[in-house]
Amino acid sequence: MRFLERAIKALGYHRRPYLAGLLVSGLFTIISMVLLTATQLNLATQTGFKNRLQQFDTSAIKSADDLIKSVQTAYAGVNVQYGNWWWASIIALAVITFGFAIYLAKQRQQETNAYLLVGKSAPDIISQYLLEGLVVFVVGFGFAWIVLMCFTQVLDQVLVKLNATLLDQQLSGQVSATSFAKLTKKLFAHRITDFSQDSLVIPHRGIGPRPETSVLTGLSTTFLSGICALVIPQTLVYAISIWRARRRLRHH
Amino acid sequence: MAIFQSQKSKHFEAALTNLFTPAGMYYIHFADVDALNDCFETYAQAFISNGASKKMAIISKKDAGIVPYLTVRSNILINGQHRPFALVPEALRKDTLFLDGDATQLSPAQSLYIQLFRGLMAGRQFILMQDFPENMGPQETRLFLNCAQEAVAASGASLIILTTDNGLIQANPRTSWQVAPNLDDAATA
């Protein structure tokens, strides 16, 4: 009970840095969930592409083998891109947390000394500081999630555009626009499909059935990875800070 | 190693019992502040190195160890409540404005009371005090000593005051030392 009281009171006492922590947590949640939802959308588009190919006969698919391979490589490339960005956001959060913990550990030197002097153990002090960080993250995470939920329609439109742009970029590295046009024209020659040439790779672009609006995904992945990116650097910094404070107290 | 540690701790505990029981107030005199501070650190280290840190609380002038965002009451009870809160003098106990206010901007005397009752509430048997704050007047000092005397007698704890005030030594010849006893050698003394 006293432990919780300490953590809650400390949150109020250090409200300025924790407010910054709240913003960072919210921002990370938005970035991570957007990227994970985008990955999901890209995978759904890729599956849709495979399904659309089934409307062509085997000989047509064989003749368009190079085109199909290029498109598949482009989808995989976009996936890797999203993955890299997601990892970058996790690393950025861990680095910011590391710097933030160093700053806070310095700010809390006197407080840490006080806890050590009354006989609190290092795990007890670290647990309190970590709990404060986790409360801030959970609140920031919750707010960001609510914000994202309010803008799912807008988010879907943005993600569709982003996915299309990235696919175009990846495809242009694989095959030139003119040869792509030529190859698709050949594939579609004398074939009846429920989609147009433009929507072969990106269904939103042309005529034809469109995938459902993407559902916000990555809630648990974002939550767990965010907690890991917070707990590991903070534990490290606070443990060193307490070890140094204890040494100072013993030798001063 | 464990057996050796345990014997060492037992030897140290015997030394403490020999020196600072029955429960009450004990005074150790120092000619100057530097010698007093050195002894204060040596004694505190002796408790830690002999595994008796849970038996001891300190009252320090420099590092009061008071958490500013907690209330005075929470600071007093920071290590739990192992003794009745009634040990705290009535005047302080009824001053809820002070007790439930944040422990910031405390006077040295207020800090002294918080540290004393924090140690007693934590159930500590020995409380090591690093003299009185310089700006504490004789009346305030007397008031603190009376209050501490009552509290330690009621709780079965001992308050060991390291002081440069020779008057306290002369007033308490049976429970004071002119030369600080060595805690590690005192078991057989």
Side-chain angles (χ1 to χ4, degrees):
Chain A
M1 196 57 204
R2 297 259 163 227
F3 175 81
L4 283 178
E5 184 196 352
R6 269 159 44 201
I8 292 163
K9 288 280 181 81
L11 278 169
Y13 191 73
H14 299 289
R15 56 189 170 277
R16 275 166 192 265
Y18 277 139
L19 207 61
L22 197 76
L23 288 175
V24 171
S25 302
L27 200 66
F28 163 75
T29 304
I30 290 174
I31 293 171
S32 168
M33 284 183 70
V34 163
L35 288 172
L36 291 170
T37 308
T39 310
Q40 200 61 33
L41 172 76
N42 188 50
L43 287 171
T45 318
Q46 188 175 12
T47 314
F49 172 72
K50 282 179 195 161
N51 292 339
R52 286 188 288 280
L53 283 181
Q54 283 173 359
Q55 294 187 27
F56 300 99
D57 55 52
T58 327
S59 64
I61 290 173
K62 260 190 186 168
S63 65
D65 196 38
D66 285 345
L67 171 80
I68 294 164
K69 272 186 186 157
S70 301
V71 174
Q72 295 281 29
T73 314
Y75 279 125
V78 173
N79 247 358
V80 169
Q81 215 162 350
Y82 285 142
N84 288 344
W85 289 348
W86 187 78
W87 277 108
S89 74
I90 285 282
I91 292 166
L93 178 69
V95 170
I96 292 170
T97 306
F98 193 77
F100 177 77
I102 291 175
Y103 167 78
L104 211 57
K106 277 190 180 173
Q107 292 277 310
R108 306 183 83 161
Q109 224 164 51
Q110 220 180 345
E111 188 185 332
T112 305
N113 287 350
Y115 282 131
L116 287 173
L117 283 166
V118 296
K120 295 285 174 208
S121 66
D124 188 330
I125 303 170
I126 294 174
S127 309
Q128 184 202 322
Y129 293 178
L130 283 182
L131 177 68
E132 292 164 27
L134 289 180
V135 167
V136 170
F137 176 73
V138 169
V139 173
F141 176 86
F143 269 125
W145 181 65
I146 291 167
V147 168
L148 283 172
M149 289 297 278
C150 293
F151 295 100
T152 41
Q153 291 279 336
V154 183
L155 182 69
D156 185 57
Q157 286 168 9
V158 172
L159 289 185
V160 165
K161 271 184 194 162
L162 175 73
N163 210 45
T165 314
L166 291 177
L167 272 170
D168 282 342
Q169 275 176 9
Q170 289 284 340
L171 265 176
S172 64
Q174 306 281 328
V175 59
S176 75
T178 42
S179 66
F180 181 80
K182 246 186 218 173
L183 286 166
T184 41
K185 201 172 180 183
K186 199 175 149 195
L187 183 71
F188 275 79
H190 313 299
R191 308 274 188 272
I192 298 167
T193 55
D194 65 356
F195 55 91
S196 66
Q197 255 173 266
D198 297 331
S199 38
L200 174 66
V201 180
I202 300 153
H204 295 82
R205 215 168 245 175
I207 303 155
R210 291 181 175 193
E212 285 176 19
T213 310
S214 48
V215 181
L216 207 59
T217 49
L219 195 76
S220 54
T221 312
T222 300
F223 188 73
L224 293 175
S225 55
I227 282 179
C228 285
L230 284 176
V231 168
I232 296 166
Q234 284 193 50
T235 309
L236 200 71
V237 171
Y238 293 145
I240 294 169
S241 147
I242 290 168
W243 174 73
R244 288 181 64 185
R246 188 170 274 164
R247 258 178 58 135
R248 254 196 323 272
L249 286 174
R250 280 190 180 165
H251 300 292
H252 82 122
Chain B
M1 186 63 200
I3 297 165
F4 174 71
Q5 192 68 37
S6 164
Q7 278 179 343
K8 201 180 159 200
S9 303
K10 277 183 189 164
H11 184 79
F12 185 72
E13 262 182 54
L16 294 175
T17 312
N18 193 22
L19 290 167
F20 307 119
T21 49
M25 310 278 280
Y26 293 88
Y27 305 88
I28 304 170
H29 182 251
F30 293 89
D32 60 84
V33 177
D34 288 342
L36 186 149
N37 291 342
D38 284 349
C39 182
F40 181 72
E41 276 175 32
T42 311
Y43 274 16
Q45 285 305 321
F47 272 91
I48 296 165
S49 59
N50 285 293
S53 54
K54 293 276 177 197
K55 284 182 176 291
M56 172 216 46
I58 56 169
I59 300 179
S60 165
K61 283 197 289 183
K62 199 178 161 195
D63 298 306
I66 292 170
V67 184
Y69 49 76
L70 294 181
T71 61
V72 169
R73 193 192 300 271
S74 296
N75 266 288
I76 291 175
L77 298 175
I78 197 162
N79 272 331
Q81 190 180 337
H82 299 274
R83 288 189 175 113
F85 202 71
L87 276 179
V88 177
E90 200 180 358
L92 180 58
R93 221 167 51 228
K94 286 191 170 169
D95 189 356
T96 48
L97 202 66
F98 174 67
L99 275 181
D100 296 326
D102 281 345
T104 46
Q105 295 176 337
L106 297 168
S107 71
Q110 286 171 328
S111 155
L112 214 60
Y113 281 97
I114 295 173
Q115 292 182 76
L116 170 70
F117 289 107
R118 183 178 66 195
L120 290 176
M121 287 300 131
R124 305 296 159 99
Q125 200 184 337
F126 302 100
I127 296 163
L128 194 61
M129 178 172 156
Q130 187 186 25
D131 215 350
F132 291 91
E134 283 80 10
N135 54 0
M136 210 165 148
Q139 202 170 343
E140 255 187 320
T141 306
R142 204 172 311 120
L143 197 68
F144 175 78
L145 286 173
N146 288 341
C147 166
Q149 171 81 56
E150 265 182 51
V152 293
S155 57
S158 296
L159 176 64
I160 306 149
I161 303 175
L162 279 58
T163 181
T164 51
D165 182 356
N166 206 24
L168 284 173
I169 308 295
Q170 282 165 359
N172 302 281
R174 288 195 300 149
T175 54
S176 63
W177 287 267
Q178 278 290 350
V179 177
N182 189 331
L183 295 188
D184 291 320
D185 299 336
T188 50

